[in-house]
Amino acid sequence: MRSAPAVLRTALAATLLGALTAGCSTGDGTDGGGTGTGTGGSTSGAAKPGRYSALPEPCGSVSESTLRRVLPDAAPEAYRGTPAVTYDTGRRGGCSWQGTDAETGSTLQLSVDFERVISYDPEVSDDDRAALDFTARAVAAGLPDPDAPQDDTADGSADDAAAGEQDGAPADGREPDAADAPGRTDSEGEPVPRTVSGIGSEAYLDDRLSSTATGARREVTLAFRSANVIATVHYTRISPGSDTPPASTPLQDGAQRVGRHLAGGFDD
């Protein structure tokens, strides 16, 4: 017959084993396998995907009537366009056209490029990433950086600016609050980059004149953003053997015409 102490020890061991088993099977859910509300199981919401999941067909994005306006003397087959080489048409696409001005012998070139921006940061949406990329492009083209600090008092610039405004010319050579005003020029009389309203979510225009081995080349770039898509238009005239450089206004007007046509295909 077992003694009382032995029975007591057996009962106590059974009780402890039962408590340990219950504790292992009814955890509070805070570990990796639990289903409770601990912080280990929570996730933050991902940023929204971009508005556009595909791009326009580049060579069909510009209507023939628009092409005939900007390339009036091109051969009929030239209006089909030449697609740009790309390895992912869902992310990038482009097309180019070329013609000759029958009156002057100048070469006219038009190209369009589409880029669908994707953000790989779960906290930054595709649209926001595209806006950041577009701003970086605009700054690289020569437009003011909207995030740059403004300090009118540094190095006496406030006094210089005031004196310049009294003379009708700001000290930094730029018109105040006129980033989208056409007709602004630099010290050499050439157009300066400017923003353009009414095309996409935001747009800018850059007009560049350069020399070639036989003449002059003027290229106007019109870039705009629509949600998570950035579109770029290049409209160029190359004038061989001419002392007069290509005029700016017709190229700016043509680039904006094409830009507005493209932007009309988006739903901004």
Side-chain angles (χ1 to χ4, degrees):
M1 182 176 181
R2 299 171 62 187
S3 65
V7 173
L8 182 60
R9 285 195 300 270
T10 300
L12 181 58
T15 301
L16 288 174
L17 179 61
L20 289 173
T21 302
C24 292
S25 62
T26 59
D28 61 3
T30 58
D31 60 0
T35 58
T37 59
T39 56
S42 63
T43 59
S44 59
K48 293 182 179 180
R51 183 185 306 176
Y52 301 110
S53 58
L55 293 174
E57 196 286 306
C59 289
S61 62
V62 184
S63 67
E64 185 171 333
S65 61
T66 300
L67 289 171
R68 290 185 179 277
R69 294 289 296 271
V70 297
L71 303 172
D73 299 318
E77 59 271 18
Y79 295 126
R80 299 193 190 105
T82 302
V85 176
T86 179
Y87 299 100
D88 186 352
T89 56
R91 291 286 307 277
R92 194 75 180 259
C95 190
S96 60
W97 300 261
Q98 180 170 304
T100 301
D101 188 319
E103 182 177 350
T104 65
S106 298
T107 299
L108 286 168
Q109 299 172 337
L110 174 72
S111 69
V112 298
D113 176 86
F114 298 100
E115 179 184 1
R116 184 170 64 90
V117 178
I118 296 177
S119 172
Y120 295 99
D121 185 339
E123 296 184 357
V124 178
S125 70
D126 293 346
D127 291 12
D128 289 343
R129 180 72 260 174
L132 292 171
D133 289 354
F134 188 83
T135 297
R137 293 189 187 192
V139 171
L143 274 79
D145 186 348
D147 296 326
Q150 302 295 324
D151 187 358
D152 292 337
T153 61
D155 299 326
S157 59
D159 294 337
D160 293 341
E165 290 174 359
Q166 290 175 0
D167 294 337
D172 62 358
R174 305 184 69 92
E175 290 292 339
D177 301 322
D180 60 349
R184 293 190 307 123
T185 59
D186 60 18
S187 59
E188 298 180 354
E190 281 299 306
V192 298
R194 61 184 176 89
T195 58
V196 178
S197 59
I199 301 180
S201 306
E202 52 186 334
Y204 71 85
L205 185 146
D206 188 16
D207 186 331
R208 305 273 174 160
L209 178 65
S210 59
S211 299
T212 67
T214 58
R217 168 192 176 98
R218 185 180 294 278
E219 179 177 358
V220 172
T221 300
L222 185 284
F224 72 88
R225 180 183 68 85
S226 180
N228 61 314
V229 173
I230 296 176
T232 308
V233 177
H234 297 284
Y235 188 30
T236 305
R237 178 183 285 268
I238 304 172
S239 299
S242 175
D243 295 332
T244 303
S248 174
T249 299
L251 292 173
Q252 290 199 19
D253 290 347
Q256 291 182 79
R257 178 187 299 276
V258 175
R260 290 191 177 92
H261 177 78
L262 296 178
F266 297 94
D267 58 2
D268 276 357

